[in-house]
Amino acid sequence: MARRSRLIIMCLMAIIPTLTVFCTRSYRFTPERQQLPSPWPYHHGGLASQGSVRESGFDGMLDIVWETRRGEKPVGPLTVQQGCLIFPGSRNKIRFYDTVSGRLLGSLKSHGVAHTGLLIRDSLAFFATSPRRAWLRCVNLRSGKLLWKRHIKDAAAGSILLDNRLIVSSMDGQLLACRPRDGSIIWTFQADGGLAAPVSYADGRIFQPSDDGTLYAISPEDGSELYRVTGSSPRVSAVAVSDLVFAADMSGHVYGIEPQDGRMVWDTRLDGPIWTTPAVGGDRLFVGHSGGKLVALDAVDGRVLWRFDADEVIRASAIVVDSYVIVGTMAGSLISLDAGDGRVVDRRQLGSAVAWAPISDGERVFVATQSGTTICFGRRHDDSKDNDQ
């Protein structure tokens, strides 16, 4: 019996170190991380949701720097904050990867599907889960403790922080502004339709599309309605804001709207339903639709400048990195195009659908597939190391 016990103990001692390789430690925020920039902190880049990074070091080539396979699909938008690629996964965990090496830094239990992705301010992290565990949560990343939570039903896939306001929308038609420190409500706005799309912000206005075809412009101070632009087709993607507000709908229309008063400047019809947020690069915007095309439009008058036929359904928003447009497809292609003429610069077959928009920190492009593979493309650094698998 003693010999058998010793054998069992020896076997356990041999197995435990192996198991720890596959166990994910809890992520803890460090002061060093806090000093690093956050080039892509929101669902489509900045507050205005332009989906672009300018003056980057990216050369348009899709060379793999690192990749990791964990068998879980993304359930919300990826972000890049404080040197971390933040991945909200289907196993009820939000994972943090070092952007340069791909090393897994740790994870945060989300206790549900974190559809909004993750926002960070100082050492506080904010995310909402839905639908069965429908809570908006705030976690201290230094201690790992939950500071507060508030019920929210079917949160939209993205949220933003405006000064002392955390702005979140939901499918029950409610737009909520609450205080980041304690979750107390500052104001609420009730739309006529469901809010499947996340909010955008620019020029002192919050822009919120609705699935009944309405686009609302709302005051961030008190939640009052400034104006609305009505339509007949559902709007399920965020707007992008530059000199104009660029909106799209499920009937295939792309609109240029005056941000001050909601006046329609131009209306261009594409040949497929649009689930995506337009990406803005200089005087152009780029829209992918489920008919399988990526279209470049003149931002001033809505003229079609070029079309690229991917021949594969596009559900994930395109992004602009310097002079390149990056788009993924539901057939698993990732394509890099010249923003000027639509010429294909590089193309990769990833083996699984790209349902969430690629993101970038300016040097690298990050993509997560529905099969659970996360890939970093860009120039390989000499000090990069193999990531935890």
Side-chain angles (χ1 to χ4, degrees):
M1 179 65 73
R3 182 178 178 182
R4 180 179 296 176
S5 298
R6 286 196 299 271
L7 181 60
I8 292 173
I9 291 172
M10 291 174 65
C11 290
L12 288 173
M13 290 177 67
I15 292 172
I16 287 173
T18 304
L19 290 176
T20 58
V21 173
F22 297 96
C23 294
T24 305
R25 59 188 176 278
S26 296
Y27 179 73
R28 292 292 181 267
F29 203 58
T30 64
E32 293 76 21
R33 286 277 169 193
Q34 191 167 343
Q35 304 306 314
L36 297 175
S38 296
W40 200 281
Y42 299 112
H43 55 88
H44 205 225
L47 290 169
S49 301
Q50 293 186 6
S52 61
V53 176
R54 298 181 179 87
E55 298 180 359
S56 76
F58 182 66
D59 62 4
M61 301 303 295
L62 300 176
D63 298 322
I64 296 177
V65 178
W66 56 261
E67 66 179 289
T68 181
R69 299 180 181 88
R70 289 193 171 269
E72 61 178 328
K73 63 183 180 181
V75 294
L78 280 67
T79 53
V80 175
Q81 303 174 69
Q82 277 91 36
C84 295
L85 170 65
I86 302 175
F87 174 98
S90 56
R91 294 180 179 174
N92 294 343
K93 285 187 177 182
I94 300 171
R95 301 186 188 275
F96 298 76
Y97 296 95
D98 181 81
T99 55
V100 175
S101 68
R103 181 169 60 91
L104 180 64
L105 302 173
S107 68
L108 176 67
K109 291 183 179 180
S110 56
H111 302 285
V113 178
H115 281 309
T116 59
L118 187 81
L119 298 183
I120 299 175
R121 171 169 291 177
D122 300 325
S123 60
L124 302 183
F126 307 92
F127 61 95
T129 55
S130 61
R132 289 193 300 172
R133 298 179 179 181
W135 294 97
L136 176 62
R137 289 178 166 88
C138 172
V139 175
N140 187 316
L141 289 179
R142 293 191 188 277
S143 65
K145 293 182 179 180
L146 176 70
L147 296 186
W148 56 263
K149 67 178 182 178
R150 174 173 292 282
H151 180 73
I152 184 169
K153 184 179 180 181
D154 292 338
S159 54
I160 61 174
L161 281 162
L162 293 177
D163 299 325
N164 67 332
R165 292 166 172 80
L166 174 64
I167 313 291
V168 187
S169 51
S170 64
M171 274 302 297
D172 61 358
Q174 187 175 87
L175 184 65
L176 172 71
C178 61
R179 293 180 178 85
R181 287 288 172 182
D182 59 14
S184 59
I185 294 178
I186 300 173
W187 54 257
T188 59
F189 174 83
Q190 185 63 50
D192 295 335
L195 306 181
V199 297
S200 306
Y201 170 83
D203 298 325
R205 294 167 173 80
I206 293 170
F207 296 98
Q208 175 64 67
S210 170
D211 67 4
D212 69 352
T214 304
L215 173 64
Y216 296 93
I218 299 164
S219 167
E221 301 302 321
D222 57 11
S224 59
E225 182 179 325
L226 302 175
Y227 63 80
R228 66 174 65 184
V229 180
T230 59
S232 58
S233 184
R235 304 180 192 269
V236 295
S237 58
V239 303
V241 190
S242 183
D243 293 335
L244 298 178
V245 178
F246 303 113
D249 64 27
M250 291 296 294
S251 65
H253 286 267
V254 185
Y255 307 91
I257 300 168
E258 170 58 51
Q260 300 299 318
D261 56 15
R263 176 176 56 88
M264 189 73 68
V265 178
W266 54 260
D267 174 359
T268 300
R269 175 74 180 272
L270 305 184
D271 52 355
I274 302 172
W275 296 82
T276 65
T277 299
V280 182
D283 59 356
R284 299 184 176 198
L285 64 147
F286 305 89
V287 183
H289 62 73
S290 60
K293 292 184 176 64
L294 178 71
V295 183
L297 303 171
D298 187 294
V300 176
D301 57 20
R303 286 182 300 115
V304 174
L305 301 175
W306 54 257
R307 288 183 173 89
F308 169 74
D309 191 352
D311 200 29
E312 299 169 1
V313 173
I314 298 174
R315 291 285 298 271
S317 302
I319 66 169
V320 178
V321 187
D322 205 345
S323 57
Y324 305 97
V325 186
I326 313 297
V327 66
T329 74
M330 294 301 289
S333 294
L334 185 70
I335 309 162
S336 172
L337 303 106
D338 186 290
D341 57 15
R343 173 179 55 87
V344 175
V345 177
D346 203 358
R347 184 168 185 155
R348 285 270 183 175
Q349 180 58 43
L350 307 182
S352 181
V354 179
W356 294 92
I359 63 173
S360 177
D361 64 358
E363 291 186 45
R364 293 160 285 262
V365 170
F366 306 93
V367 180
T369 71
Q370 293 299 94
S371 66
T373 301
T374 304
I375 310 171
C376 169
F377 300 93
R379 296 176 181 173
R380 182 179 290 276
H381 288 243
D382 292 337
D383 58 350
S384 64
K385 300 177 181 179
D386 290 336
N387 60 299
D388 295 344
Q389 293 295 321

